[in-house]
Amino acid sequence: MHPPPPAAAAAMDFSQNSLFGYMEDLQELTIIERPVRRSLKTPEEIERLTVDEDLSDIERAVYLLSAGQDIQGTSVIANLPFLMRQNPAETLRRVLPKVREVLHVAGVEMQLTAAVSFLTILQEESVSIHTYAHSFLQVILLHLEHRDAGVSNAWLETLLSVIEVLPKETLRHEILNPLVSKAQLSQTVQSRFVSCKILGKLTNKFDAHTIKREILPLVKSLCQDVEYEVRSCMCRQLENIAQGIGTELTKSVVLPELIELSRDEGSSVRLAAFETLVNLLDIFDTDDRSQTILPLVKSFCEKSFKADESILISLSFHLGKLCHGLYGIFTPDQHLRFLEFYKKLCTLGLQQENGHNENQIPPQILEQEKKYISVRKNCAYNFPAMIVFVDPKNFHMELYSTFFCLCHDPEVPVRYTIAICFYEVSKLLDSGVYLIHKELITLLQDESLEVLDALIDHLPEILELMSNGGESTVQENKLSSLPDLIPALTAAEQRAAASLKWRTHEKLLQKYACLPHVISSDQIYYRFLQRMFTIMMTNNVLPVQKAASRTLCIFLRYNRKQEQRYEVIQKLIEQLGQGKSYWNRLRFLDTCEFIIEIFSKSFFCKYFFLPAIELTHDPVANVRMKLCHLLPKVKSTLKIPADKHLLQQLEMCVRKLLCQEKDKDVLAMVKRTVLELDRMEMSMDAEQLEKEKQQNEGRPMSDKTFEKKRRDTKTPATLPKSIPVPVPGPSSGTPSTSKEVKKSKLIRSQSFNNQAFHAKYGNLDKCAGKSSTAAYTSSVSGLAKTSIISLTDDSFRTRNASNAPTPFSPNAALPSTSRGAGNSIDAKSSGSKDTQPRKATLKSRKSNP
C-alpha cells in the first residue's frame, strides 16, 4: 500500500484539525450557555413574581407597589396614564398615594418613568387642572432637586409644561412664592439652576407690575451668581423675559445685564450673552443697535479667533441673522470688515491641510479640525443671507470666489450644505444666475451622493431659472450656454444607479421629468430615452422602475417628432407589452397607467388599448390580476359612440376572464372588477351622437350644419357643453326613418349583452359557480351603461393648448384604434350588423413567466 501523496496528507491533516476546531468551538458554546441557564428564575423567584389573575387593575397596581419588586413597580407607574383613563377616581384614591411612597426611595429608572407618566396624564387631560394641581404638583416640586441631573431635568420639563396650564393664583402660591427662597445663594447650584428656567417660563404668566416687583429682582440676582453655570442659564432665559416685559423694561433692565454678561470671564456666559443679543435685535431700535449692540458684536468678532472654537461655531451660525438685524447700520468700512471676517471663516482650517495622515495627527488637532468644518458648514448655511448683505449685483466681485471655495470644499458636510442653499442662491442672483453654471456642474458631478441628493431636491427650479436667465417669460431659451449639463446629468444618474441608495436614484429620475422644459427633444431622445428603457427592463428596484416609466412617458408627451414618437411607442409595446419576461409585462401595465394619467383618452385608445387588454390571455396570474386593477381606468378612456367597438372588446375580455379563469385570486379580482365596471359612467361624445342621430333619421348633416345648429340654439355661456341625450346601443350602419325599425334596434341593443352572453357562454355555471353567475352576468351586461358627462376633446391634458404636441398620423406598424374616419359608421352601408372593430396588429407570441 503506497502512502498518500503529500498534498493529500496535508488535506487530511487540515480536515482533522478543522474537526477538532469545531469540537472546541462547541465546547466553548456549551461553557457560554451555562451561565445563561443559571440566570433563569428559580421556582421561589417565580412564585414571588406571580400575581393573582383575579385581581382588578387597581388592586394589582396597589399590590405590586406595596409588595412587588422594583421592575414591577416601574411597570405600574408606566401604566399610570391607562389607569387614569380607565378609573381616575380609584387611581387617585388608592394608587397615587402608593406611588408617592415608592418615589421617596425609587431609583433613577422609576423616577424617569414617573416624570414621563405625570406629563402624559397632563397632556391627555385625564383630570381637571385643579385636580391635577392638587394631586400631582407637590410630587413634581418635591423631586425637582434630585441628586441625579437627568432625573432633575426630567421633572423640570414636566413642571414647565404644567406651568403653561396652571391658573395664576396657583402659580403665585405654589411656585413663585417658594422660588424667592430657592433662588438665594444659600441654596444648592441645582436649586438655583432650576429657578432660572422656572423664572423664564413664569414671565409670560403675570402682568408687567408683578414681573417688575417680584421676578426681575430674582433675575438680576441670578445674573450675578457666583457660579458661571447659573449666570449662563439665566442669560439664556433673558430672551423669554424680554418678550414678556415689553420694550421699555427690556432696554432699562435686560440690556444692561446683557452688556455686563457679554464681558464675563466665562466663555460660555459670553457666548450665551451674544446669542441672546442676536435673538433680541428686533426689539431694539436703531440707536440701541448702532450705539450699543454693534460695538459689542465688533468686539466679539475680533476676540473670537483668540477664544475657544465653540464661540466661532456659534458666531458663524448666527451671521445671517446678525447681518439682517444690523443691515443699514454698518458704515462702508465696517461693512467691508464684516465681509472680510465672513470670508475668513469660510476658509478657516483649509490653509493648515498639508496632506498629513490622520493617524499621525494629535487628537486635539483632529478635534480642532472638526470644529473648523462646523464653522465652514455654518458659513455655507448663511451664504444666501450674505448675498443680500452685499447686494446680488456685487456677487461676482465680492462673493463668487467664496462660493467657489464652498462648492469645492474638501469636506462633504460643507458641500452638502451649499447644495441645499443652491436654489436660494439662484433665486437671489436672478438674471446673474449664469455666474454659477459651473458650480452647478461641479455639484452634479460630486463624488458624494449626499451632495447630489441635496442638490436635486430643487433641481427643476434651478434648471428653469438657468434656462430662462432668471426671467420666466422667455420660454424658448434652452440651456445652450451650458454644454456640460447633459453629460453631468447622465453621469449623476449612472453614479446613483451604481450605488445602493435607490431612493436617491428614484428621486433623480423623478426630477428628470423637468428636462423637456430646459433642453430640446432631440437631446432627450438621444441621451435619456434609451436609458429610461434600460432602467425599466433591467433595474431590480420597483420604485426606480416606476419613476423611469413615468419620466419616459413625460418625455414622450413633449416629443414633437412623429418618427421618434412612433419608435418609442413601438418599443413600449414590443419590448414591454409583448416581452418574454412577465416582469416587463407588469411594467407595461404601469406605463399604461401613466399614459392614461398624462395623455389624452384618444391617445391611449389609439395606441395602447388593445395591447393592454391583450394581456387578459397572459399565462402569468400576476399579470392578469394587475390588468384587472387597471381595467376601470381603461374603461374610463372610452367615449360613446366613437369607441363602441372598443367597449365590446373590453366586455368580451371580461367575459372570457370570468368564464375561463382558473386562478382563484384572479377570479375573485375579476368579480370585484366587474362590479366596479358596472357602476362606472362613461363619457359621451355629444357631437358624434348628434351626427349619428341625424344619420339614423335619414338626414345626413355636415359639420358646418351641426355648428350652425349649435349657434342657433343660443345656449348661455355658463352652461356646460355636455347635453343630456339617451345612449343608444350598438347601432346599425343602415339609415332608416321608420320608428318601428328604430324601436326594434333599441330593444335589440338593450338586450345585446344578455343575449350574446347566454348564447356564447351558456356553461358559465360550470366556470364561476351557479350561485354567483346571474349576478355577474347582469353586471357584465351593464358595462355599456353611460351617463351625461361633459365633453372631452382629443387634445392632450395641458393647461396651455399651444404646448400640445402634433397628433400622430396613421401607421400600419402600430396597433391603432383611432376615432377617425376610418372607424366611423358608414352611412351608405346596407348591412344591419354593427361595424366591426379594427383588430390590433399584434405579433403572436408565447409569454414566458
Side-chain angles (χ1 to χ4, degrees):
M1 182 176 179
H2 299 286
M12 187 180 300
D13 293 341
F14 177 77
S15 62
Q16 290 175 353
N17 292 335
S18 299
L19 179 60
F20 292 141
Y22 292 147
M23 293 176 64
E24 292 176 358
D25 292 341
L26 290 174
Q27 290 176 355
E28 291 178 0
L29 289 175
T30 305
I31 295 173
I32 293 174
E33 285 183 355
R34 286 172 186 170
V36 176
R37 289 174 182 170
R38 293 195 197 102
S39 66
L40 295 177
K41 301 297 181 184
T42 63
E44 292 79 9
E45 291 174 329
I46 295 175
E47 181 65 26
R48 288 199 303 269
L49 293 172
T50 303
V51 181
D52 188 0
E53 296 181 357
D54 296 332
L55 295 177
S56 65
D57 292 337
I58 299 295
E59 293 172 342
R60 185 184 300 109
V62 172
Y63 172 78
L64 292 177
L65 289 171
S66 303
Q69 298 187 2
D70 287 346
I71 188 172
Q72 293 174 316
T74 303
S75 177
V76 171
I77 294 177
N79 201 39
L80 199 60
F82 171 77
L83 295 176
M84 288 294 298
R85 291 192 300 268
Q86 189 183 48
N87 194 342
E90 285 298 305
T91 303
L92 293 176
R93 188 177 68 86
R94 300 183 59 187
V95 179
L96 191 58
K98 291 292 183 182
V99 172
R100 293 195 191 107
E101 294 177 8
V102 172
L103 287 179
H104 282 294
V105 292
V108 172
E109 184 177 357
M110 187 178 292
Q111 289 276 356
L112 294 174
T113 304
V116 174
S117 294
F118 282 26
L119 180 59
T120 303
I121 294 171
L122 174 71
Q123 294 170 344
E124 292 181 353
E125 299 180 357
S126 302
V127 293
S128 65
I129 297 301
H130 176 75
T131 304
Y132 187 92
H134 177 74
S135 303
F136 294 93
L137 182 58
Q138 290 302 320
V139 181
I140 297 172
L141 294 173
L142 183 64
H143 296 90
L144 276 177
E145 300 178 26
H146 195 277
R147 58 183 180 276
D148 185 272
V151 172
S152 177
N153 289 332
W155 284 112
L156 178 60
E157 292 301 320
T158 302
L159 177 63
L160 297 179
S161 299
V162 174
I163 290 175
E164 292 287 346
V165 296
L166 286 179
K168 186 180 299 185
E169 289 303 318
T170 304
L171 289 174
R172 179 185 295 274
H173 293 293
E174 299 293 340
I175 298 178
L176 181 57
N177 292 340
L179 203 63
V180 176
S181 61
K182 295 290 185 182
Q184 300 301 318
L185 286 175
S186 58
Q187 298 293 324
T188 63
V189 173
Q190 181 65 23
S191 176
R192 304 199 301 273
F193 187 85
V194 169
S195 299
C196 294
K197 292 192 174 182
I198 294 176
L199 284 173
K201 183 66 74 170
L202 284 176
T203 308
N204 295 326
K205 306 298 291 187
F206 293 98
D207 56 272
H209 178 71
T210 304
I211 294 174
K212 184 176 181 180
R213 188 186 58 175
E214 300 185 24
I215 295 181
L216 288 183
L218 295 176
V219 170
K220 289 182 178 181
S221 173
L222 291 170
C223 284
Q224 299 171 4
D225 196 276
V226 295
E227 298 293 337
Y228 75 91
E229 296 99 332
V230 178
R231 298 196 304 271
S232 176
C233 181
M234 192 66 254
C235 184
R236 293 191 180 278
Q237 299 302 318
L238 290 179
E239 180 182 353
N240 296 329
I241 294 172
Q243 293 173 354
I245 63 179
T247 304
E248 294 301 324
L249 281 177
T250 299
K251 292 172 63 176
S252 61
V253 178
V254 175
L255 184 57
E257 294 296 333
L258 283 174
I259 294 174
E260 184 176 352
L261 290 171
S262 65
R263 303 188 183 102
D264 196 276
E265 59 183 8
S267 60
S268 62
V269 180
R270 296 195 304 270
L271 180 60
F274 170 76
E275 293 178 352
T276 304
L277 277 171
V278 173
N279 294 331
L280 292 177
L281 279 175
D282 294 336
I283 295 180
F284 303 118
D285 55 24
T286 304
D287 293 337
D288 291 327
R289 296 180 192 178
S290 59
Q291 298 175 8
T292 305
I293 298 177
L294 184 57
L296 289 177
V297 172
K298 181 181 176 181
S299 174
F300 194 81
C301 293
E302 291 174 351
K303 297 179 181 179
S304 59
F305 283 100
K306 302 177 183 179
D308 186 14
E309 288 80 7
S310 58
I311 295 180
L312 282 176
I313 295 175
S314 175
L315 179 59
S316 61
F317 180 77
H318 289 90
L319 273 177
K321 190 180 293 185
L322 199 59
C323 291
H324 175 73
L326 298 177
Y327 188 79
I329 297 178
F330 289 108
T331 64
D333 182 61
Q334 291 171 339
H335 187 281
L336 181 60
R337 287 186 179 182
F338 196 79
L339 181 60
E340 291 300 322
F341 176 75
Y342 171 76
K343 292 180 180 180
K344 188 176 181 180
L345 291 180
C346 288
T347 58
L348 186 65
L350 295 180
Q351 299 85 354
Q352 301 176 4
E353 294 186 1
N354 297 317
H356 296 297
N357 187 359
E358 290 188 0
N359 296 328
Q360 301 175 355
I361 302 177
Q364 61 271 20
I365 301 299
L366 287 176
E367 188 66 26
Q368 185 184 54
E369 289 183 357
K370 290 180 180 179
K371 293 181 179 179
Y372 288 161
I373 293 172
S374 298
V375 170
R376 301 201 302 273
K377 176 183 175 182
N378 291 337
C379 289
Y381 169 77
N382 285 295
F383 193 84
M386 298 307 298
I387 294 179
V388 177
F389 183 70
V390 303
D391 195 309
K393 296 179 181 178
N394 301 322
F395 169 78
H396 186 265
M397 182 175 59
E398 300 288 352
L399 283 177
Y400 175 75
S401 60
T402 303
F403 186 69
F404 178 87
C405 291
L406 292 174
C407 291
H408 291 81
D409 195 278
E411 299 299 331
V412 172
V414 181
R415 303 197 305 273
Y416 172 84
T417 306
I418 201 65
I420 292 177
C421 299
F422 200 96
Y423 174 53
E424 293 296 327
V425 173
S426 302
K427 286 195 301 182
L428 290 171
L429 293 180
D430 195 29
S431 59
V433 71
Y434 67 91
L435 295 171
I436 58 173
H437 280 184
K438 293 181 180 179
E439 283 64 42
L440 173 63
I441 302 302
T442 299
L443 294 177
L444 282 173
Q445 296 174 338
D446 197 282
E447 61 183 8
S448 172
L449 283 180
E450 294 179 7
V451 177
L452 177 63
D453 188 86
L455 181 67
I456 62 180
D457 282 335
H458 292 284
L459 184 62
E461 295 86 352
I462 294 171
L463 294 179
E464 184 178 0
L465 286 171
M466 290 193 169
S467 65
N468 296 327
E471 299 177 0
S472 59
T473 57
V474 183
Q475 182 64 27
E476 297 299 328
N477 181 21
K478 301 295 181 180
L479 291 175
S480 57
S481 61
L482 196 59
D484 296 334
L485 174 64
I486 294 179
L489 289 173
T490 55
E493 186 277 320
Q494 292 174 359
R495 196 164 61 255
S499 71
L500 297 177
K501 297 182 178 180
W502 63 265
R503 288 181 176 84
T504 300
H505 193 199
E506 177 194 15
K507 186 196 299 186
L508 185 60
L509 294 176
Q510 292 171 346
K511 301 300 182 181
Y512 277 4
C514 73
L515 292 181
H517 300 288
V518 294
I519 61 178
S520 66
S521 59
D522 280 340
Q523 290 172 318
I524 292 176
Y525 180 80
Y526 290 109
R527 301 301 298 271
F528 294 97
L529 261 174
Q530 184 55 46
R531 179 59 183 167
M532 297 300 110
F533 267 112
T534 303
I535 294 172
M536 290 170 63
M537 299 186 66
T538 61
N539 197 280
N540 296 325
V541 182
L542 180 58
V544 172
Q545 287 183 315
K546 288 188 174 183
S549 175
R550 195 179 193 281
T551 301
L552 184 143
C553 291
I554 294 176
F555 289 166
L556 179 63
R557 164 69 180 80
Y558 288 98
N559 192 304
R560 298 176 181 271
K561 294 191 175 181
Q562 295 183 3
E563 297 82 3
Q564 295 177 359
R565 299 176 79 177
Y566 277 124
E567 182 180 349
V568 175
I569 294 171
Q570 189 170 3
K571 279 187 176 182
L572 286 173
I573 294 173
E574 292 181 354
Q575 298 184 17
L576 293 181
Q578 300 173 0
K580 293 182 179 180
S581 171
Y582 86 98
W583 192 255
N584 290 342
R585 301 196 294 276
L586 288 173
R587 299 294 74 77
F588 175 74
L589 293 176
D590 289 332
T591 306
C592 287
E593 190 169 359
F594 293 136
I595 288 174
I596 293 173
E597 172 191 347
I598 297 170
F599 289 83
S600 67
K601 296 179 179 181
S602 59
F603 179 86
F604 176 80
C605 290
K606 184 175 182 180
Y607 296 105
F608 292 95
F609 186 93
L610 292 179
I613 65 173
E614 179 72 14
L615 293 178
T616 53
H617 308 293
D618 198 279
V620 179
N622 284 356
V623 178
R624 301 195 300 275
M625 182 174 291
K626 189 172 185 66
L627 176 62
C628 291
H629 282 284
L630 188 63
L631 284 180
K633 292 184 179 181
V634 170
K635 184 183 177 183
S636 69
T637 63
L638 300 178
K639 290 198 293 188
I640 297 299
D643 296 324
K644 290 183 300 183
H645 54 294
L646 297 181
L647 180 60
Q648 292 171 3
Q649 293 271 7
L650 178 62
E651 292 176 8
M652 191 63 66
C653 291
V654 174
R655 290 170 184 168
K656 288 182 179 180
L657 280 173
L658 192 60
C659 179
Q660 300 174 3
E661 182 58 55
K662 299 294 191 298
D663 189 281
K664 62 179 182 179
D665 296 326
V666 179
L667 183 58
M669 186 67 217
V670 173
K671 292 178 179 180
R672 289 195 298 268
T673 303
V674 167
L675 294 177
E676 185 175 356
L677 292 173
D678 185 40
R679 290 191 295 266
M680 288 181 63
E681 298 177 347
M682 294 190 61
S683 300
M684 299 173 59
D685 192 337
E687 182 176 348
Q688 182 66 25
L689 281 173
E690 183 66 22
K691 288 182 179 181
E692 190 168 304
K693 179 180 179 183
Q694 295 296 330
Q695 291 173 356
N696 290 338
E697 293 178 357
R699 293 181 297 163
M701 182 173 63
S702 63
D703 292 341
K704 293 182 179 180
T705 307
F706 180 78
E707 291 296 330
K708 184 176 183 300
K709 183 174 180 180
R710 281 207 315 184
R711 289 196 302 270
D712 293 341
T713 58
K714 297 181 180 180
T715 304
T718 57
L719 293 178
K721 294 182 178 181
S722 58
I723 56 176
V725 289
V727 182
S731 60
S732 172
T734 305
S736 174
T737 58
S738 172
K739 294 183 178 180
E740 290 78 3
V741 174
K742 288 192 291 181
K743 183 176 180 181
S744 63
K745 288 180 182 179
L746 181 59
I747 296 173
R748 183 171 68 252
S749 64
Q750 290 174 345
S751 61
F752 166 76
N753 291 318
N754 285 333
Q755 291 174 358
F757 186 81
H758 289 293
K760 288 191 173 185
Y761 305 105
N763 60 345
L764 184 62
D765 294 344
K766 299 179 181 179
C767 303
K770 295 182 179 181
S771 60
S772 59
T773 299
Y776 285 102
T777 302
S778 61
S779 297
V780 173
S781 66
L783 291 179
K785 290 182 180 179
T786 57
S787 66
I788 303 161
I789 296 181
S790 44
L791 290 171
T792 55
D793 57 7
D794 288 344
S795 62
F796 289 128
R797 298 174 186 169
T798 57
R799 294 183 180 178
N800 189 353
S802 61
N803 292 332
T806 56
F808 295 118
S809 59
N811 190 334
L814 290 173
S816 177
T817 57
S818 176
R819 297 169 180 165
N823 288 331
S824 61
I825 299 175
D826 186 4
K828 298 181 180 180
S829 175
S830 59
S832 60
K833 296 182 178 180
D834 296 335
T835 305
Q836 296 295 326
R838 189 185 339 181
K839 302 290 178 117
T841 58
L842 296 173
K843 297 181 180 181
S844 60
R845 59 176 176 79
K846 294 182 179 179
S847 299
N848 298 324

